[in-house]
Amino acid sequence: MRVFLSVLFTSLGLLTASAAEKPNVIFILADDLGYSDLGCYGGEIATPNLDSLAKNGLQFTQFYNTARCWPTRGALMSGYYAQQIHRDELPGLGGGGRGVRPSWARLLPDFLKPAGYRSYHSGKWHIDGPVLEAGFDRSLDMKNQGNFFSSAGNAIDDRPVTTPADEKGYYATVATADHAIGCLKDHAAQHADKPFFHYIPFIAPHFPLHALPEDIAIYRDKYLKGWEAMREARYQKQKARGIVNTELSALEKEVGPPYDFPDAFEKLGSGEINRPLPWDSLTEEQRRFQATKMAIHAAMVDRMDREIGRILQQLKDMGAYENTVIFFASDNGASAEIMVRNGGHDPQAEPGSAATFLCLGPGFSSACNTPFRRHKTWVHEGGISTPLIAHWPKGITARGELRTSPAHVVDIVPTILEITGVEKPKAWQGEAIPEAPGKSLVPAFAKDTTIARESLWWLHEGNRAVRMGDWKLVAAKGDAWELYDLKTDRAEAHNLAAQMPDKVKELEAVWQKQTDDFSALAKKTAHLQPAAPAKGKGKGKKKSGAK
C-alpha cells in the first residue's frame, strides 16, 4: 500500500509526508500589498526573489483574504472565518480587533506540534493572546507598527525588547528577516532532526510609508507619469501573462479613503489629495507628492523582497530549501487610507524618514490593486484579492504555472495539514471542534483544477459579499447588492442585479445563511468577550467612500 501511495502521489506531481520526509513550511505575509505589486503579477517593482518562487512554483490568480489585517491573520492561522472566532464583527454580536478566540479555536502550531514540528514567528502578530501560548516556540512580535526605524514596544518571546527606542541602522523589515534567519540557524544547529513551520508576517508596505533612503532613490522619479499610466502598464502585463481575463476597472473618482481624518490634510499640506482624480488635473506639487509616496511604497516592497532573498539563501545554506513549502500572500489589498498618527508628520523632513507619516491614498492604491475596484476594507475585488505563490521543489513538479481556482486564506490550514500528514483532532481538551470551512488546495498543486466548495463569504464593517462559482454578490456598507459574473468581469464593471433578480435572491440567501450560522456559533461564547470600549470624542471613524 505504501508503495502504491508513493506512486500515486508522484503521478499527481507532489509528495506528502506519508511518502517522504516531512516537509518544512514557511508562510510569508505582506501587509497592505496590492494585487499587482509583484513583478510576477504585473508590477514594475523589482521583486526577483518572489518572481523566482513563482517561476519555479505556482501562482494562484483568484486567491482571497478578508479585506483587513486582523481578520485575515486570525483566519489564516485558525482555518475559520474571523467572524466564527470573534476576530471580526457580526451584526449585534461585536467582535473584531479586541475579540478573543474560543478555546477550541487553536492555531496551526498546536496541531503541528504533536507531529514533531517546531514553530517560529517573525514579524507582525495582530492575533489575540500571547504568541508562545498559541504554540510557537520562538517569536519576534513587531508591536511597533508606527515607526519602521525603531524597535521600541516590540517583544521577543512575548517579553518587551530592552534595546533603546531608536537604534541607528535599525529598519523593521530587515529586523524581521534577521530574526527569521536566526531562528532557522538555531533550528539547523539544535533541532535538525525536526521539521519546522515558520510564519513570517512583514509589516511592509503598510503605512507609515517608511523606507531606506537608498531604496527610495531607485524609484524616486518612476511614477511621475501618474496612476493611469501605471494601471495601464500593469494591466497589459497581466493580460499578456494570462493572470486576468477582464477589462480594466474604471477609476472611481468619488471614492476616497474609507475613514475621515480631515486634520490630516492640514498636517500633510497641499500636495495631498483624497480622490483618484485625473493625473493631468493635479498641480505639479500634487503630482510630485503623490509620485513620491508611491516611490516609498515601491521601495518598501523592493526591500521586503530582498530580505526574503536572504531567508531563502539561509534555507539553501542549511539544506532545507528543496523540502520547504513556501507560501506568499498579502493580508488585504492596497490601502486608500490617509491619516497622521503615532509620532506625527514633519513636512520639512525627508519623505519616508522616521519623522514623516505618509499613506498611499486612493490614487496609487487603485493602481496597486490593478485591475480591480476599491481598496482595503471593501470586499470588492480590490480589497480582497491577493497574490498567492506556492513553491516546493520536492513536492510540486509544476513550474511557472497559473492556478485559477478561487481560494481563501481559510484554506491554508487544511492545505498545510494535508502536506504535513497531520490529522486535525475532533476535540480540544474535551471540547468539540466545529467543522472548519476551508478546503485543501493540494489537488491544485498538481493541475489547474477547481476546488469544490459551496461558496466564499465576506463581511467587514458592513461591506459584504458572497461568491458561488463565478457569480459574486457584493455591496459596500449602506449600498444595494451588486451582481457580477467573475468569469469575464472581475473588474466588477457590469452590474447584472437588475437583469437577474432571481440570482440576486439566491446568492443573498446563501450569504444570509452563512451569516446566521456564524452568529449561532459565535453566540455560544459571546459572554466571554471583553466589553467594547466607550467611544470618546475623536475616536469615531466615519466612512467616506462611495458617497
Side-chain angles (χ1 to χ4, degrees), residues 226-265:
W227 37 66
E228 294 103 335
M230 176 177 158
R231 294 179 85 231
E232 182 63 28
R234 289 188 174 193
Y235 175 59
Q236 293 302 330
K237 289 172 66 176
Q238 290 174 327
K239 283 205 305 181
R241 177 76 173 87
I243 291 171
V244 298
N245 175 31
T246 184
E247 63 191 88
L248 177 61
S249 64
L251 281 172
E252 296 180 275
K253 300 172 186 177
E254 75 283 5
V255 177
Y259 313 107
D260 276 334
F261 293 99
D263 61 325
F265 292 89

Side-chain angles (χ1 to χ4, degrees), residues 174-479:
V174 177
T176 297
D178 284 344
H179 183 267
I181 291 168
C183 289
L184 292 173
K185 287 182 175 179
D186 178 72
H187 186 92
Q190 304 294 332
H191 308 285
D193 59 328
K194 295 182 178 181
F196 64 81
F197 167 65
H198 203 146
Y199 175 43
I200 309 175
F202 286 94
I203 302 174
H206 192 286
F207 60 80
L209 298 178
H210 283 172
L212 299 173
E214 60 269 29
D215 295 343
I216 299 174
I218 300 171
Y219 299 94
R220 186 172 305 279
D221 297 329
K222 196 170 188 66
Y223 299 102
L224 287 171
K225 292 182 179 180
W227 37 66
E228 294 103 335
M230 176 177 158
R231 294 179 85 231
E232 182 63 28
R234 289 188 174 193
Y235 175 59
Q236 293 302 330
K237 289 172 66 176
Q238 290 174 327
K239 283 205 305 181
R241 177 76 173 87
I243 291 171
V244 298
N245 175 31
T246 184
E247 63 191 88
L248 177 61
S249 64
L251 281 172
E252 296 180 275
K253 300 172 186 177
E254 75 283 5
V255 177
Y259 313 107
D260 276 334
F261 293 99
D263 61 325
F265 292 89
E266 299 176 13
K267 300 170 184 176
L268 294 167
S270 55
E272 188 59 280
I273 58 172
N274 67 351
R275 293 292 186 272
L277 302 176
W279 189 255
D280 60 9
S281 73
L282 306 186
T283 67
E284 185 175 347
E285 178 191 15
Q286 289 171 334
R287 288 196 292 267
R288 170 51 75 177
F289 188 84
Q290 300 300 316
T292 296
K293 291 197 302 175
M294 183 60 213
I296 302 168
H297 175 93
M300 297 172 79
V301 176
D302 183 315
R303 175 55 56 179
M304 178 177 63
D305 182 83
R306 296 182 194 213
E307 299 308 310
I308 290 170
R310 292 175 56 218
I311 295 169
L312 300 180
Q313 187 59 53
Q314 174 57 35
L315 289 174
K316 294 173 183 177
D317 291 345
M318 59 193 281
Y321 185 73
E322 294 294 314
N323 199 29
T324 297
V325 190
I326 302 170
F327 296 99
F328 175 88
S330 178
D331 63 350
N332 44 249
S335 173
E337 294 164 286
I338 297 177
M339 64 185 73
V340 175
R341 60 187 191 192
N342 294 90
H345 174 73
D346 179 359
Q348 303 305 315
E350 188 67 23
S353 65
T356 62
F357 199 102
L358 300 171
C359 302
L360 190 58
F364 277 113
S365 173
S366 295
C368 290
N369 292 330
T370 299
F372 305 132
R373 282 178 63 193
R374 302 286 171 102
H375 323 266
K376 169 186 175 180
T377 77
W378 281 278
V379 295
H380 287 75
E381 293 290 284
I384 58 177
S385 297
T386 168
L388 177 69
I389 297 171
H391 178 273
W392 183 18
K394 193 171 182 179
I396 299 176
T397 59
R399 297 290 184 269
E401 295 184 7
L402 301 179
R403 295 293 183 260
T404 59
S405 179
H408 190 282
V409 289
V410 296
D411 299 329
I412 294 301
V413 165
T415 301
I416 292 176
L417 292 179
E418 180 169 351
I419 62 181
T420 56
V422 174
E423 185 174 350
K424 182 180 175 181
K426 302 294 185 183
W428 183 265
Q429 297 181 348
E431 184 177 9
I433 298 177
E435 183 178 357
K439 307 293 182 181
S440 172
L441 303 181
V442 167
F445 286 3
K447 60 181 180 179
D448 188 18
T449 186
T450 298
I451 304 299
R453 69 178 83 233
E454 181 184 1
S455 65
L456 292 169
W457 175 95
W458 290 269
L459 175 64
H460 182 66
E461 295 193 340
N463 303 314
R464 58 205 189 277
V466 64
R467 175 170 177 167
M468 290 183 64
D470 289 322
W471 290 105
K472 181 181 177 184
L473 195 67
V474 60
K477 183 178 181 179
D479 290 351

